[in-house]
Every structure is written in C-alpha cells, then in structure tokens.
Amino acid sequence: MMAETLTIGKALNTGLRRVMERDPKVLIMGEDVGKLGGVFRITDGLQKDFGDERVIDTPLAESGIIGTAVGLAIRGYRPVCEIQFDGFVYPAYDQIVSQVAKMHYRSQGKVSLPIVIRIPFGGGIGAVEHHSESPEAYFAHTAGLKVVSCSNPDDAYWMIQQSIESDDPIIFMEPKRRYWEKGQVNVDTASAPLHVSRVVRTGADATLLAYGPMVRTALDAATAAAEDGRELEVIDLRTLSPLDLGPVYESVRRTGRAIVVHEAPGNLGLGSEIAARITEECFYSLEAPVLRVTGFDTPYPAARVEEEYLPDLDRVLDAVDRSFGF
C-alpha cells in the first residue's frame, strides 16, 4: 500500500490528473481553470500537460458552461465543470435542474449525462458577497442529481475519480477552507465506495453527523468532549444524495443521541431530513431529540462576520450539553 501526504487541493488535482490519463473523453471546463489553474489552483498544470482542448478556459457564463457540458455528455464526453465559487452557481441552476437532472429520466434511460459539477462551498475564507454559500440542499432536493462532499485528502483523491467515472450527473462539493489541510492518501486502493457514509471516530455516548468542512469541526469537538469524559462518535456523511444512513442508524441505536452539524441555514437544510429519518427509524432508542447545529437563517455574511455565523466547536459542544440535559 503506497501512501502520500497531500493537501485536499493537491489530492483533487492529482485525482483529476489520474482520470484524465486513463480516459481521453474526460474534459475540464470553467473560468480560469486553464492557464491560471483555477483560483484555488485545483487544476494547476493540467492545461499545460493535456492541452487547451481538454482543459478549457470558458467565458464568464455559468449557464453556458453547463449547457455546453450537456451537449458534450450527449456526444460521449465526460465533462468536469468547475464553478469558481459556490455563489456563482445560480445562473447555471436552470440548466442543472431542468436538463442535467432530468435528461436520463426524460429519455427513458437512453441518454446518460456523466457530468461532474465541482463547487467549492462553505465559508471561512473571509470572502466578499457571493463567494461563500452552502447551496447543497437545492441540489440534494432535486431528483436526478447525486451530491457528494469530501472532507479529507484521501476522499478528495478517490471521490473525484469515482464521480467522473460514474454515469450519473454528480454535484461535487469541495470544502474550500479545508483545501490546504494535509492528510495521508492511499493512492493504490480506494478506502470506500462513492455513496457511503463512514464512521471516522468511534464513541458510545452521542453521535455527531457532519459533512464537508464541518467534519473537522466535529472531530475537534469530540476531542474536547473526551476531556470531560464524553466519548462522541463522529460520522462523515460523504454522500448527501443519496443519503447513506445505515451506519447512522446503527450508531444512534447504540448512543441514543444524535447531533447534526452543517454550515447551511437550518430551515429545510440537510439536517432537517436527517433528523426526520433518524426519528422514524430510531425512535425507541433516542434518549433526546435529534439536535441541529447550523448556520443562521440569514444570507452568508461577508468577511470577518462569518466567525459569528459559522458553527464552531463551542456551538457543537453546547448542543451536546443540551442533548444530555434531556
């Protein structure tokens, strides 16, 4: 087993390179993805090595990027579209929900659209308006789309390859403030299939559920809670649509408590669906209601005000205390 230490950003870059080497039908397209290598340098060096017909700098037109990808996918290509920042995806929303999500169903399975739409999402980088959003619930709600989110370098490396090789359209959510965090990557064997959740820390007292940028926050909270004698189990959901809640149910039936953590606003967020399903499946095992720690029901604030908005270790630990208060 060969392992390398990579950042999440470099793991994504390396994963993209590997799949492009294997399959000449894989194309990358987006704003500044070529010569610049993307604003976060995720596609750095790929245009130099694969040419400007496979790594394509597009006009600043998200609807055009996705619309072009639909045509390319129908013709047998596997386009990977980068949305430069999460808040820029909305001009492409019509194409995504009206065409990308529905073409396979509309054609009774005759047409597949193997399109991956990469979206750096979440806050924590002190950006201006439209540069920090958590739009995952829009896409998870849309039948015909699959939605995944990596939280560590190993998953970044493998999940981007698995997504591109899938025949389904996939929204690939990348935790932008975690791009520079390092970790071990097993470059020989994938540690998990694409659409499964995974226990990343075991514990017997309560279950923390998170995805993307909040997995690190949940793990930090579990470490802090251990100093007070509480062992928290942490599950990285990884796949937001379809949700893989089997490991979640198994955990909650043991711990009796569940707290869901995400950056997006609480109203109709992923946490609402997860809480409902846990309640349906684990009602007689619960010692307390399923609690949520989320962003507030306001637009993402800009710059340093994010620090007041984003769930942090203290808010997660407060929810754990509330759970044990029942």
Side-chain angles (χ1 to χ4, degrees):
M1 184 178 74
M2 182 177 176
E4 296 183 18
T5 300
L6 301 173
T7 64
I8 288 180
K10 185 61 176 177
L12 288 166
N13 176 278
T14 307
L16 287 166
R17 179 178 295 277
R18 295 289 178 267
V19 79
M20 291 185 78
E21 290 170 345
R22 291 195 299 268
D23 188 349
K25 291 292 188 180
V26 175
L27 310 175
I28 294 175
M29 51 198 297
E31 300 160 9
D32 296 320
V33 298
K35 187 175 181 180
L36 180 67
V39 292
F40 294 106
R41 304 299 187 266
I42 304 303
T43 54
D44 189 41
L46 296 181
Q47 188 181 73
K48 177 175 67 71
D49 293 338
F50 294 98
D52 58 10
E53 291 186 350
R54 291 190 66 194
V55 183
I56 304 159
D57 280 315
T58 67
L60 307 185
E62 286 76 15
S63 182
I65 294 169
I66 304 303
T68 301
V70 171
L72 286 165
I74 290 173
R75 298 293 293 177
Y77 291 91
R78 292 181 175 272
V80 181
C81 303
E82 177 180 300
I83 303 298
Q84 197 171 67
F85 283 91
D86 35 29
F88 299 175
V89 74
Y90 303 113
Y93 188 73
D94 180 19
Q95 292 281 7
I96 294 171
V97 302
S98 299
Q99 307 300 333
V100 175
K102 294 182 172 60
M103 189 67 74
H104 188 70
Y105 185 85
R106 182 186 300 148
S107 66
Q108 296 183 320
K110 295 181 177 65
V111 177
S112 294
L113 295 185
I115 299 171
V116 174
I117 301 172
R118 294 181 40 242
I119 305 177
F121 84 121
I125 63 169
V128 296
E129 188 180 25
H130 307 311
H131 289 66
S132 293
E133 303 277 341
S134 288
E136 59 270 20
Y138 293 121
F139 303 111
H141 180 73
T142 303
L145 297 176
K146 292 185 175 179
V147 185
V148 300
S149 181
C150 58
S151 69
N152 60 75
D154 192 66
D155 273 351
Y157 175 77
W158 286 108
M159 289 172 73
I160 191 63
Q161 296 181 69
Q162 293 164 334
S163 295
I164 295 168
E165 290 168 349
S166 170
D167 288 332
D168 295 314
I170 293 179
I171 308 294
F172 195 92
M173 312 296 292
E174 302 171 4
K176 68 166 84 80
R177 70 163 141 152
R178 307 297 188 191
Y179 274 145
W180 300 274
E181 294 188 0
K182 293 181 179 180
Q184 288 291 104
V185 177
N186 177 5
V187 296
D188 294 326
T189 307
S191 54
L194 184 59
H195 295 294
V196 301
S197 57
R198 186 166 58 194
V199 176
V200 292
R201 178 176 176 134
T202 59
D205 297 329
T207 303
L208 290 183
L209 309 170
Y211 56 86
M214 283 289 106
V215 173
R216 170 54 52 196
T217 304
L219 287 168
D220 290 344
T223 298
E227 297 176 2
D228 295 329
R230 287 177 178 164
E231 294 298 326
L232 307 182
E233 185 145 294
V234 180
I235 297 181
D236 183 350
L237 292 170
R238 299 177 77 248
T239 177
L240 310 184
S241 182
L243 285 165
D244 174 37
L245 297 184
V248 174
Y249 300 151
E250 181 180 344
S251 176
V252 174
R253 289 184 182 118
R254 284 189 292 102
T255 67
R257 304 176 192 278
I259 297 101
V260 190
V261 187
H262 60 67
E263 289 188 17
N267 184 47
L268 298 177
L270 263 293
S272 304
E273 177 67 21
I274 294 165
R277 292 207 203 175
I278 291 173
T279 303
E280 289 173 357
E281 294 292 329
C282 306
F283 183 77
Y284 291 106
S285 300
L286 287 170
E287 301 289 340
V290 180
L291 301 180
R292 293 172 290 161
V293 183
T294 70
F296 300 112
D297 293 325
T298 69
Y300 251 78
R304 295 294 296 275
V305 186
E306 280 185 322
E307 295 174 12
E308 307 299 324
Y309 176 90
L310 296 172
D312 59 12
L313 183 147
D314 288 337
R315 287 178 60 194
V316 175
L317 291 177
D318 178 66
V320 172
D321 287 342
R322 285 190 288 125
S323 180
F324 278 92
F326 283 93

